[in-house]
């Protein structure tokens, strides 16, 4: 689960023109024909760089995203819920593995990606910097964050880079199970006792702003996506995806008699567009730059996992093994 | 000061905050080589490439492949091959196959005789 392909505000437009114009024309023609780019094809440096950044962020989001939910495995209400949550969290870690290998085909090793995650150089989806305070948070994450991730991932799966598309095909299939199980937990709480409904409402109130942040800043704020869209790296703008998400899921929240903490939120029937209060983007930038409620915990836990697992990897390693980039 | 979390399991780790000048935690190769995984759904079907795992040996690659590619749906068999042992054609050579689909003389659809037979019959019976 993931959102973005976060392009920093003010990022420079890729300077493709300074590269080999003939190869660039062939590359762009291939994409325009709807063909995929494969790992050892010629590609503009800016394409490679943005794809590494995007797939790597996606991988980090999967592995960090498993932490807030993993918190609740030991305290899941009942055996079936526990089994489902274990399966979901395992899937998320599996997605990270698939995505790391897709990014590796572009020339950055998994070790380097994990190093850059831990030292803070590369980002992951901002939503995972928030805690899962109650079991209802697990419902909101499993239903709405995964739903938002699916909107983003289905769009990206039609992109131009072969290995990323192949990974996303499998990921989208598994995410649809996550969404269903999340919706099930959500509905159980929403149709339960008044205490359960109250717990769910509070979780919704907590998560609404991070969810509105999920697709990234408004298109008005993030320029320079034109080339990335022509290259089918970014497949839909942040605003388009946010509208899609609101259109599909707000009715599913309202039909259960729950509310969302935004008095402006409604669909303008004449335009088909959702109207909402612009979330606080200063909060978004503050959290993505390291100062959210759980950023420090997430990275510390990741670091401990790598460090304290080192002896196991060393014990299993063979002296003659050497690194090789995955094929596809 | 160890990180303080809502999660008691995190508190038990006694994990320290990552410092601002954190160097690399992993060295090149720490996460092992990669293996290509081939999955057969049912007996009688073919094995298909499904992805990769990182592993220190083919035995470990197989254990991880079972977990990563066999945890859902049907699985009858798996192969793992070290990525280094696969020779890949260069995509730049793709054009050597460009004319292959038009080689109708290699294809059953390239041989159509019914018109001839019908014409022959019409002529001889007419």
């Amino acid at each position: 689960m993931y959102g973005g392909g976060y392009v920093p505000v003010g990022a420079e437009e890729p300077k493709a023109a300074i590269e080999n114009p003939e190869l660039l024309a062939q590359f762009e023609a291939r994409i325009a024909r709807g063909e995929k780019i494969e790992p050892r094809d010629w590609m503009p440096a800016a394409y490679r760089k943005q794809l590494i950044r995007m797939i790597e962020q996606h991988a980090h989001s999967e592995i960090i995203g498993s932490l807030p939910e993993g918190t609740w495995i030991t305290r899941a209400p009942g055996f079936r819920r526990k089994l489902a949550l274990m399966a979901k969290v395992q899937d998320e870690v599996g997605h990270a593995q698939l995505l790391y290998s897709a990014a590796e085909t572009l020339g950055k090793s998994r070790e380097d990606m994990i190093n850059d995650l831990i030292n803070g150089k590369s980002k992951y989806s901002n939503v995972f910097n928030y805690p899962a305070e109650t079991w209802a948070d697990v419902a909101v994450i499993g239903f709405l964050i995964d739903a938002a991730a699916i909107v983003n991932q289905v769009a990206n799966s039609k992109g131009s880079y072969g290995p990323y598309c192949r990974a996303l095909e499998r990921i989208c299939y598994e995410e649809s199970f996550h969404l269903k199980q999340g919706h099930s937990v959500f509905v159980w709480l929403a149709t339960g006792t008044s205490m359960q409904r109250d717990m769910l409402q509070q979780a919704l109130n907590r998560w609404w702003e991070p969810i509105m942040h999920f697709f990234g800043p408004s298109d008005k704020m993030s320029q320079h996506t034109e080339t990335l869209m022509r290259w089918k790296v970014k497949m839909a703008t942040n605003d388009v995806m946010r509208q899609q998400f609101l259109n599909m899921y707000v009715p599913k929240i309202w039909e259960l008699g729950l509310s969302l903490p935004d008095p402006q939120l409604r669909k303008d029937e004449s335009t088909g567009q959702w109207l909402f209060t612009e979330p606080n983007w200063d909060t978004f930038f503050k959290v993505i730059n390291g100062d959210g409620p759980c950023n420090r915990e997430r990275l510390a836990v990741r670091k401990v996992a790598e460090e304290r697992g080192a002896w196991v990897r060393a014990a299993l390693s063979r002296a003659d093994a050497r690194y090789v980039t995955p094929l596809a | 000061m160890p990180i303080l979390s809502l999660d008691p399991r995190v508190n038990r780790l006694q994990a320290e905050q990552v410092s601002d000048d954190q160097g690399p935690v992993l060295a090149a190769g720490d996460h092992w080589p990669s293996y290509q995984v081939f999955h057969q759904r049912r007996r009688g079907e073919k094995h298909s490439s499904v992805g990769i795992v990182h592993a220190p040996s083919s035995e470990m690659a197989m254990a991880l492949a079972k977990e990563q590619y066999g945890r859902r749906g049907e699985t009858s068999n798996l192969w793992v091959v070290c990525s280094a042992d696969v020779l890949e054609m260069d995509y730049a050579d793709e054009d050597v196959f460009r004319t292959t689909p038009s080689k109708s003389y290699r294809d059953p659809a390239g041989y159509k005789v019914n018109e001839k037979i019908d014409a022959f019959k019409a002529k001889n019976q007419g």
Side-chain angles (χ1 to χ4, degrees):
Chain A
M1 48 184 179
Y2 174 60
Y6 170 63
V7 183
V9 173
E12 282 179 38
E13 178 79 358
K15 289 194 181 60
I18 56 173
E19 299 191 60
N20 186 323
E22 194 187 334
L23 290 174
L24 181 64
Q26 284 171 11
F27 168 86
E28 293 198 335
R30 187 182 296 286
I31 292 174
R33 287 196 299 273
E35 291 177 28
K36 302 292 180 190
I37 303 300
E38 293 291 348
R40 277 156 293 281
D41 282 336
W42 182 90
M43 58 186 84
Y47 177 86
R48 186 184 299 277
K49 192 174 156 198
Q50 179 60 19
L51 266 175
I52 291 176
R53 173 156 64 188
M54 188 164 134
I55 302 173
E56 180 183 355
Q57 281 179 15
H58 190 167
H60 295 332
S61 301
E62 301 281 355
I63 208 162
I64 296 291
S66 66
L67 297 175
E69 291 183 290
T71 300
W72 282 91
I73 290 175
T74 53
R75 292 166 286 169
F79 193 59
R80 196 181 155 80
R81 292 290 186 218
K82 192 192 288 278
L83 275 177
L85 188 57
M86 282 168 61
K88 177 189 195 288
V89 168
Q90 182 185 29
D91 283 350
E92 306 294 8
V93 178
H95 296 173
Q97 289 181 21
L98 295 171
L99 291 160
Y100 281 130
S101 52
E104 273 181 277
T105 62
L106 291 158
K108 184 168 182 181
S109 73
R110 193 163 93 175
E111 290 89 345
D112 282 344
M113 289 187 265
I114 291 172
N115 284 334
D116 284 348
L117 167 66
I118 292 170
N119 70 25
K121 262 187 217 145
S122 66
K123 304 295 180 199
Y124 51 88
S125 185
N126 224 15
V127 282
F128 305 122
N129 289 317
Y130 294 85
E133 290 183 23
T134 68
W135 173 249
D137 294 60
V138 175
V140 173
I141 297 172
F143 177 34
L144 296 173
I145 303 289
D146 280 74
I150 290 173
V151 168
N152 181 58
Q153 289 169 163
V154 166
N156 282 349
S157 73
K158 298 178 183 75
S160 61
Y161 190 57
Y164 190 37
C165 298
R166 289 190 283 273
L168 283 173
E169 197 180 320
R170 153 106 185 254
I171 289 171
C172 287
Y173 173 78
E174 293 183 347
E175 293 284 354
S176 58
F177 143 68
H178 301 171
L179 173 63
K180 290 290 247 184
Q181 71 90 33
H183 193 216
S184 164
V185 176
F186 193 91
V187 169
W188 245 252
L189 292 177
T191 58
T193 64
S194 62
M195 204 189 274
Q196 286 173 314
R197 276 182 67 84
D198 191 41
M199 184 168 78
L200 184 60
Q201 183 62 61
Q202 285 178 31
L204 261 181
N205 296 348
R206 275 197 295 278
W207 281 90
W208 190 245
E209 185 164 75
I211 288 171
M212 291 301 286
H213 285 154
F214 186 88
F215 294 103
S218 161
D219 299 341
K220 296 189 291 281
M221 299 168 66
S222 48
Q223 315 96 1
H224 305 313
T225 53
E226 202 179 297
T227 309
L228 296 176
M229 291 190 81
R230 187 172 72 247
W231 287 346
K232 296 187 186 170
V233 171
K234 192 166 176 62
M235 295 302 289
T237 70
N238 297 352
D239 287 340
V240 165
M241 288 190 288
R242 193 165 12 245
Q243 285 288 334
Q244 246 179 39
F245 170 79
L246 293 173
N247 205 33
M248 284 169 79
Y249 294 98
V250 172
K252 290 188 198 299
I253 299 168
W254 282 348
E255 76 182 3
L256 293 164
L258 296 158
S259 66
L260 291 167
D262 178 0
Q264 307 297 325
L265 184 68
R266 68 186 170 86
K267 187 172 181 175
D268 180 345
E269 292 299 342
S270 63
T271 61
Q273 294 289 302
W274 284 79
L275 304 172
F276 51 84
T277 314
E278 200 64 36
N280 186 337
W281 292 107
D282 291 339
T283 310
F284 172 82
F285 291 117
K286 188 180 121 195
V287 176
I288 209 162
N289 288 318
D291 206 12
C294 295
N295 301 52
R296 292 170 190 84
E297 172 182 336
R298 301 289 182 244
L299 296 185
V301 167
R302 192 66 238 136
K303 184 182 165 203
V304 158
E306 292 298 337
E307 282 179 346
R308 298 188 194 169
W311 71 271
V312 180
R313 289 194 306 269
L316 286 164
S317 284
R318 290 184 346 182
D320 61 344
R322 62 188 176 81
Y323 179 79
V324 57
T325 304
L327 290 177
Chain B
M1 265 286 278
I3 293 278
L4 203 61
S5 171
L6 281 176
D7 187 342
R9 299 171 315 152
V10 171
N11 290 332
R12 284 198 293 274
L13 291 176
Q14 294 281 306
E16 295 289 337
Q17 187 181 323
V18 178
S19 66
D20 289 341
D21 57 350
Q22 174 68 50
V25 175
L26 297 171
D30 275 2
H31 272 215
W32 304 322
S34 63
Y35 286 76
Q36 307 292 133
V37 181
F38 298 83
H39 176 267
Q40 185 192 38
R41 198 170 60 115
R42 289 179 192 158
R43 283 167 181 265
E45 295 182 357
K46 64 187 174 187
H47 287 67
S48 309
S49 163
V50 284
I52 74 135
V53 290
H54 283 252
S57 63
S58 45
E59 289 80 5
M60 269 298 286
M62 183 58 84
L64 294 168
K66 286 175 184 166
E67 201 59 50
Q68 175 74 317
Y69 298 101
R71 68 171 178 266
R72 198 173 263 117
E74 293 175 76
T75 299
S76 146
N77 196 253
L78 291 163
W79 296 339
V80 292
V81 182
C82 188
S83 304
D85 293 335
V86 178
L87 179 64
E88 186 196 16
M89 193 187 96
D90 194 336
Y91 272 102
D93 295 339
E94 210 176 354
D95 59 351
V96 301
F97 297 114
R98 201 180 53 219
T99 57
T100 312
S102 59
K103 288 179 179 171
S104 62
Y105 61 91
R106 292 183 181 273
D107 199 76
Y111 297 89
K112 294 194 169 67
V113 295
N114 282 347
E115 268 182 36
K116 288 255 182 226
I117 293 171
D118 290 346
F120 176 81
K121 282 181 180 168
K123 188 176 157 198
N124 287 290
Q125 286 163 8

